[in-house]
Amino acid sequence: MFKRYDWSVGLASILLGAFIIYRSSFWANYQSSESAGPGYVPVILAWGMIIIGVIHLVGWWIDYKRGKKTEDKIDYAKEWREFKPLLMIVAVSIIYILALKTVGYLLMTPLLIGSILWIIKERKIKGIIITSISVTIILFLIFFYGLSIKLPLGIMKPFF
Amino acid sequence: MLDLIMQGITEIMHINTLLFILFGVAWGTIGGMIPGINATIAMALLLPFTWGMGPTNAIVMLCGVYAGGEYGGSIPAILIGTPGTNAAACTVIDGHELHKQGKTGLALYTSLNSSVFGGFFGAIALLFFAMPLAEVALAFGPAEYFALATLGLTMICSLGEKYVFKGILAGFIGIFLSTVGFDPIKGVPRFTFGVMSLNSGFDMVALMMGFYAISEMFKQAQELLGGEVFELKGDPDTHFPKWKEIKGLFKWNVFGSIFGTIIGVMPGAGATTAAFISYSEAKRISKDSSSFGQGNIIGVAVPESANNAATGGAMVPLLALGIPGSNSTAIMLGALMIHNVSPGPMLFINTPEIPYGIFVSLFFANVFLFFVGYMFIKFAIKITSISKPVLIATVIALVYTGAFAYSGELFSIGVTLAFGVVGVLLRKMEIPHTAVVLGFVLGFLMEANLRRGLIISEGSFWGVATASPISAVLLAFAVFSVGFAFVRGLRMSKAELS
């Protein structure tokens, strides 16, 4: 029932539960006219999470003591290789979100698409440029003109 | 009854009206296919154009959009693992797996057939049982809604398979996420940390797209770089299913449609709830429940028939009681009111041609849906020939654009991205993210109605549980389901150890 990462699942579950109980104490005053109150369901969930967290920690500990997990070594180099592109796409996405309003959809979206293609080892520059621009134009036409969605135009606003 | 149906047919049988339905279905299907644009938004975009139409034409066109929208979401759900609508999120689970196995045609056409079947079923139910079904809706008070949501939530126990506790934890996380924002009774902002955009909670669209689309694209990007890229096993099978396969799913289509119609009738529940609850119940009763999530075609047929049957069900409270049970029917109510038509029991007495015209239009909408869907599938299937890197980058850009389009806020893109990352981490820890989504979908329904029920029963939980035979039976089923899932999880664990 338990696996190698389960100590982290247990710990995260307990911490989340404790946090929910702490935050729910802020709304204790609202409980006067209603038996339940805003914190009622979150606190029940939190205790559930804490119990499940403890079960995972205990289960993992028992398995660990029995030596079941010794063959299940974590390859940190492999983990890093797997998560590196993900972190890079996340970083590019955060830049996209932060700059979208100022720079505008028409300039930021080709950069986003191009960056993602580059991160996932697409190296044909011509292909990257064509894909980035054509996908952006198609999406812009569908959303901006077809569905009348006010996409952020940023510095391109004077042209529309 | 027959003369009323004839009046409805007479009302619809005009070339203009039929063209409006056809246009509505096509528009709705396109809207449903685009992540972030659901049936409600597609309808809202058409609402201004209904001003110059007659009330029947206006509403039947919106009925077409509703049917098309609920179906359209399944196409990207199957092909790229990105649900076009919230209700199609359930279709991703098995539909996308089937596509990965090369059974693309089977998944796509089953989704179409089941949607059309569900739509017909809902329309028949509406035609003959509108008033009795309205009474069912009225029989559901807070205690019954709470019991129904709880029964649906017990599915989280089996979603973790042998890791029962992880399934429950995931469900709890989902319910917790549904508590973010204004509290349903007092209006107290919870877990918002002063962020205004969180006051109304997390957008379901952003959450679904993050968990399903973004995390799937991240996973595929990781696989691509790790040399473990998923490639279709041979050319995808794009053929229409054989009669034997269609026939084999008949009882599951009926099963999903019954759930869809009944849940659709209940105000506030809707197509997404119908899809998830029917899926969970199908998995529970299926002899082959362990193959759900790994490409079981029943996992496509049931939620798709349910979410389209819900369109017929949702019309019941709207037309018979004047209560819009969902955002989409609220727009229809708006369209009716623009034309000075007030829904309610008197609508059936004063202007029966309008409600019966709408009922009949749903039949036509589903006939058109079959042909429109067939055409769209032929076109959409070409997605499978796009190279993996281009598809990953395009889907991410499409999803971010869709997230922004839905709310008009950059914050939604951030939420989508955050849930995408959470989805990857949950996958890594083997926590089923479908259970998180199920918790989120049903969490609000459960909490709001539990607290209303507690107010009515003056704080007695037992009072809520035994408020009516319906709530008592549903909760008894829920307790049984939890016990069953635990025993099953323990057996699976023991079998693995031995």
Side-chain angles (χ1 to χ4, degrees):
Chain A
M1 274 192 139
F2 302 99
K3 295 203 82 179
R4 67 180 183 190
Y5 288 107
D6 285 357
W7 66 270
S8 57
V9 174
L11 195 64
S13 184
I14 291 169
L15 289 174
L16 182 60
F19 164 74
I20 294 170
I21 290 171
Y22 166 70
R23 284 296 298 186
S24 298
S25 66
F26 289 20
W27 314 308
N29 293 339
Y30 292 96
Q31 210 165 320
S32 54
S33 60
E34 186 200 348
S35 58
Y40 183 73
V41 169
V43 168
I44 293 173
L45 293 173
W47 280 112
M49 287 176 187
I50 290 171
I51 292 167
I52 292 173
V54 170
I55 291 170
H56 274 94
L57 279 181
V58 172
W60 172 82
W61 181 249
I62 292 169
D63 279 0
Y64 182 79
K65 280 285 166 191
R66 284 179 186 162
K68 276 188 186 171
K69 302 294 166 194
T70 46
E71 76 288 357
D72 212 7
K73 288 264 191 270
I74 300 170
D75 181 352
Y76 287 105
K78 186 173 174 275
E79 298 275 309
W80 171 243
R81 272 200 308 277
E82 271 182 26
F83 275 92
K84 194 177 157 192
L86 194 152
L87 291 174
M88 287 167 80
I89 296 175
V90 170
V92 167
S93 300
I94 291 170
I95 295 167
Y96 176 76
I97 295 166
L98 293 175
L100 190 61
K101 203 168 181 182
T102 323
V103 181
Y105 185 87
L106 282 170
L107 293 177
M108 283 311 294
T109 306
L111 289 176
L112 172 80
I113 296 169
S115 310
I116 294 171
L117 284 170
W118 187 262
I119 292 166
I120 51 181
K121 301 269 169 20
E122 180 65 47
R123 290 291 180 266
K124 291 173 194 155
I125 301 292
K126 197 177 157 191
I128 291 176
I129 294 169
I130 291 170
T131 305
S132 310
I133 294 173
S134 56
V135 170
T136 304
I137 290 172
I138 292 168
L139 290 179
F140 188 77
L141 290 175
I142 292 172
F143 283 92
F144 194 80
Y145 290 110
L147 299 167
S148 307
I149 305 291
K150 294 199 184 318
L151 294 171
L153 295 168
I155 54 173
M156 301 285 278
K157 202 169 184 180
F159 299 101
F160 289 88
Chain B
M1 170 65 82
L2 203 64
D3 56 323
L4 291 170
I5 296 170
M6 285 311 291
Q7 273 191 47
I9 294 172
T10 316
E11 188 73 8
I12 296 300
M13 276 299 182
H14 299 285
I15 188 73
N16 281 357
T17 310
L18 293 174
L19 284 174
F20 279 128
I21 300 172
L22 178 63
F23 173 74
V25 169
W27 177 259
T29 309
I30 294 169
M33 282 172 69
I34 302 170
I37 306 296
N38 52 22
T40 310
I41 297 177
M43 280 167 140
L45 288 165
L46 278 190
L47 193 60
F49 300 99
T50 64
W51 184 258
M53 298 177 188
T56 309
N57 282 351
I59 202 82
V60 299
M61 184 172 75
L62 294 179
C63 283
V65 180
Y66 198 9
E70 291 301 349
Y71 161 68
S74 69
I75 298 175
I78 291 165
L79 289 175
I80 51 177
T82 304
T85 58
N86 294 334
C90 204
T91 310
V92 176
I93 307 168
D94 283 282
H96 191 52
E97 281 302 317
L98 281 165
H99 167 57
K100 284 180 181 176
Q101 292 164 17
K103 297 171 187 167
T104 312
L106 177 67
L108 285 171
Y109 290 116
T110 297
S111 146
L112 175 63
N113 294 340
S114 298
S115 293
V116 171
F117 185 95
F120 270 118
F121 192 97
I124 290 170
L126 189 63
L127 198 58
F128 293 103
F129 309 112
M131 295 312 260
L133 279 170
E135 283 169 24
V136 171
L138 290 175
F140 264 70
E144 291 76 16
Y145 273 115
F146 163 70
L148 179 73
T150 306
L151 178 63
L153 282 168
T154 58
M155 176 67 188
I156 60 177
C157 302
S158 58
L159 279 171
E161 296 291 340
K162 62 189 176 209
Y163 307 116
V164 179
F165 292 115
K166 284 187 183 173
I168 299 172
L169 176 64
F172 282 180
I173 294 170
I175 303 171
F176 163 65
L177 291 173
S178 77
T179 66
V180 174
F182 286 130
D183 144 62
I185 306 293
K186 303 260 184 201
V188 179
R190 297 180 295 182
F191 308 108
T192 58
F193 305 101
V195 178
M196 295 283 279
S197 302
L198 278 179
N199 280 348
S200 52
F202 289 114
D203 276 339
M204 199 185 283
V205 172
L207 183 133
M208 297 269 194
M209 291 200 296
F211 271 130
Y212 287 107
I214 296 296
S215 76
E216 175 66 24
M217 290 306 119
F218 282 167
K219 183 183 151 228
Q220 290 194 17
Q222 286 177 314
E223 287 172 351
L224 194 70
L225 295 172
E228 299 168 22
V229 63
F230 135 71
E231 290 293 351
L232 285 174
K233 292 168 185 167
D235 287 335
D237 165 30
T238 55
H239 292 101
F240 197 81
K242 293 177 185 126
W243 173 241
K244 199 181 155 194
E245 289 167 321
I246 296 171
K247 212 172 85 176
L249 290 170
F250 179 78
K251 66 174 180 181
W252 293 107
N253 285 332
V254 174
F255 180 86
S257 302
I258 293 171
F259 269 90
T261 307
I262 295 173
I263 294 171
V265 166
M266 295 168 195
T272 312
T273 310
F276 274 96
I277 291 186
S278 62
Y279 179 88
S280 67
E281 295 310 311
K283 180 175 177 178
R284 208 193 306 271
I285 65 163
S286 170
K287 285 176 188 162
D288 189 20
S289 63
S290 59
S291 67
F292 275 71
Q294 285 152 26
N296 189 326
I297 193 64
I298 299 168
V300 175
V302 169
E304 280 304 312
S305 52
N307 68 35
N308 268 60
T311 58
M315 296 287 175
V316 172
L318 173 71
L319 296 172
L321 306 170
I323 304 167
S326 63
N327 293 334
S328 303
T329 47
I331 289 177
M332 285 193 192
L333 178 66
L336 285 169
M337 291 178 87
I338 284 173
H339 295 91
N340 291 323
V341 177
S342 299
M346 292 310 285
L347 183 71
F348 287 79
I349 295 160
N350 295 337
T351 48
E353 71 280 3
I354 293 179
Y356 281 91
I358 292 167
F359 300 165
V360 174
S361 76
L362 277 175
F363 282 96
F364 283 97
N366 282 290
V367 173
F368 293 148
L369 178 62
F370 183 80
F371 295 105
V372 169
Y374 191 85
M375 230 169 58
F376 274 82
I377 286 173
K378 290 273 171 216
F379 170 74
I381 230 156
K382 296 194 192 318
I383 288 174
T384 54
S385 59
I386 298 174
S387 83
K388 191 64 59 182
V390 171
L391 190 67
I392 291 170
T394 306
V395 170
I396 292 175
L398 170 66
V399 167
Y400 288 171
T401 313
F404 179 84
Y406 183 77
S407 65
E409 287 185 67
L410 293 173
F411 183 75
S412 286
I413 308 179
V415 171
T416 307
L417 173 66
F419 281 120
V421 175
V422 172
V424 172
L425 295 175
L426 291 179
R427 213 189 289 254
K428 188 88 190 154
M429 292 176 175
E430 294 185 67
I431 295 174
H433 61 270
T434 303
V436 181
V437 175
L438 186 72
F440 185 79
V441 169
L442 297 177
F444 185 83
L445 192 70
M446 189 271 288
E447 187 196 8
N449 287 294
L450 170 63
R451 288 186 47 202
R452 283 182 199 128
L454 284 170
I455 293 170
I456 294 167
S457 68
E458 295 174 337
S460 160
F461 184 83
W462 185 246
V464 177
T466 56
S468 74
I470 299 175
S471 61
V473 168
L474 289 175
L475 284 174
F477 268 121
V479 172
F480 171 77
S481 301
V482 172
F484 180 75
F486 265 99
V487 172
R488 194 168 151 265
L490 281 171
R491 275 186 188 161
M492 285 171 84
S493 248
K494 274 185 184 171
E496 194 187 55
L497 285 174
S498 60

